[in-house]
Amino acid sequence: MYVGIDIGATHTRVALAVVPNNIVQKKDFATTSFRETIARIVESIRLLAPEKIEAIGISSPAPLNKVQGTILNTPNLPNWKDKPLVDMLKQELHCPVYLEHDASAGALAEFLYGQKSANPLLYLTLSTGIGGGLIKEGQIYEGTNSIHLGHQVIDKKGPKCSCGKNGCLEAFVSGWAIEKKFGKPAQEIDDPAVWDEVGENLAVGINNSVMHYLPELIVLGGGLIQKGDLLLKPLQKHLEQYFCQDIPLPSIELARLGQDSSLIGALAIAWKKYNNK
Ligand SMILES: [Zn+2]
């Protein structure tokens, strides 16, 4: 049995599976303080999986210290900084525990269970924040840390971002940035002019990312893709406008695993690491 844990800013989900893309049981609860959430995770795992657990994979907001098994300075989980996340779960549950950036976990799941031939595959989550993951030759691309597509600067005089800089992609197209600028949650906005502006800014960010990573395929996930053509049509229009003529525009597809991408990714990481895949 493998366990996947997806830690989000508001919710934490725990899932149990024998093979990663076939979840047999799942639990969902509010993310609160570090100690309280760890206690809920341990309680849920003991309840869901009284038998032996081979390995646990965790998907978490970045940045992370994967060597120490800790979450660093993420604005969405301020009280979790440097807490011994991996060590505490190892002590309580006596099995290997692997920590991964949530967008990388989502990218891996979309690659393994959706788009297995794409190389490289670039995955963007368009949600409360903006995240990204790159799968190259079937593996999560590892630099000195996780890639941070949301914090690429697209306008140095742009609005303040959650990271403290000005003009990041996230400060223009994330759920929090849209709500801040237009006065209501993105899901409630249907004005095409708003989505044209969001689509244009997103096109600049995607254009930059493609110039760096040259992906064969871009997969878009996260809650904002539920806006459908209201966002996707202007995005496509502006991508064609901004794109370098010498490089073919990669295909853009929507995430096939929906809200479960990172959770299935966490299970896939546990399975892959445990089996040396
Ligand atoms: Zn930023």
Side-chain angles (χ1 to χ4, degrees):
M1 280 287 178
Y2 298 92
V3 171
I5 303 167
D6 181 32
I7 298 170
T10 55
H11 276 259
T12 293
R13 295 182 301 159
V14 176
L16 188 71
V18 179
V19 286
N21 62 337
N22 191 5
I23 291 172
V24 290
Q25 291 203 71
K26 193 154 61 168
K27 257 194 165 302
D28 183 319
F29 44 87
T31 305
T32 55
S33 69
F34 173 75
R35 287 202 175 269
E36 197 174 279
T37 307
I38 292 292
R40 293 290 306 271
I41 290 171
V42 171
E43 178 192 299
S44 302
I45 293 173
R46 286 188 176 139
L47 197 72
L48 293 176
E51 67 270 48
K52 185 175 182 289
I53 300 164
E54 263 69 40
I56 296 173
I58 308 172
S59 133
S60 160
L64 308 173
N65 182 332
K66 288 201 269 184
V67 177
Q68 300 286 333
T70 56
I71 298 174
L72 297 175
N73 201 15
T74 179
N76 294 330
L77 293 170
N79 301 318
W80 288 55
K81 185 173 184 283
D82 297 332
K83 299 277 171 46
L85 173 61
V86 166
D87 282 351
M88 276 190 75
L89 290 176
K90 276 184 182 169
Q91 278 167 20
E92 292 284 345
L93 298 160
H94 312 292
C95 67
V97 179
Y98 306 105
L99 178 63
E100 189 52 80
H101 173 208
D102 51 8
S104 294
L108 180 67
E110 289 294 335
F111 172 81
L112 288 173
Y113 307 113
Q115 304 285 357
K116 210 164 180 175
S117 64
N119 184 34
L121 178 150
L122 184 67
Y123 174 72
L124 269 94
T125 49
L126 311 174
S127 187
T128 308
I130 302 294
L134 185 75
I135 303 298
K136 200 172 173 198
E137 290 165 9
Q139 304 293 335
I140 293 171
Y141 172 79
E142 305 266 10
T144 55
N145 208 306
S146 312
I147 64 171
H148 280 50
L149 297 189
H151 298 288
Q152 59 174 298
V153 175
I154 62 165
D155 177 357
K156 62 187 181 186
K157 293 182 180 165
K160 193 123 188 134
C161 184
S162 60
C163 70
K165 293 188 299 184
N166 281 79
C168 295
L169 178 64
E170 177 165 315
F172 287 92
V173 305
S174 64
W176 69 258
I178 293 170
E179 183 167 354
K180 190 174 175 189
K181 178 162 185 185
F182 299 103
K184 54 182 174 177
Q187 297 303 345
E188 294 175 17
I189 299 175
D190 291 320
D191 180 355
V194 169
W195 291 105
D196 189 74
E197 184 180 319
V198 172
E200 182 169 13
N201 286 319
L202 185 56
V204 173
I206 288 180
N207 174 67
N208 294 341
S209 301
V210 171
M211 292 304 139
H212 295 144
Y213 301 118
L214 298 175
E216 190 180 344
L217 175 72
I218 296 170
V219 178
L220 300 179
L224 291 187
I225 64 169
Q226 287 165 10
K227 296 312 290 187
D229 283 349
L230 211 48
L231 170 63
L232 299 175
K233 282 199 168 162
L235 170 63
Q236 191 70 35
K237 178 185 82 179
H238 290 297
L239 272 174
E240 285 163 15
Q241 172 196 343
Y242 283 106
F243 224 71
C244 169
Q245 299 299 314
D246 297 332
I247 294 173
L249 181 60
S251 303
I252 296 185
E253 295 192 7
L254 300 183
R256 296 185 184 184
L257 303 174
Q259 300 298 320
D260 280 344
S261 298
S262 296
L263 186 59
I264 293 174
L267 282 161
I269 285 155
W271 177 83
K272 268 173 82 74
K273 298 258 188 190
Y274 187 79
N275 294 291
N276 287 319
K277 296 284 185 186

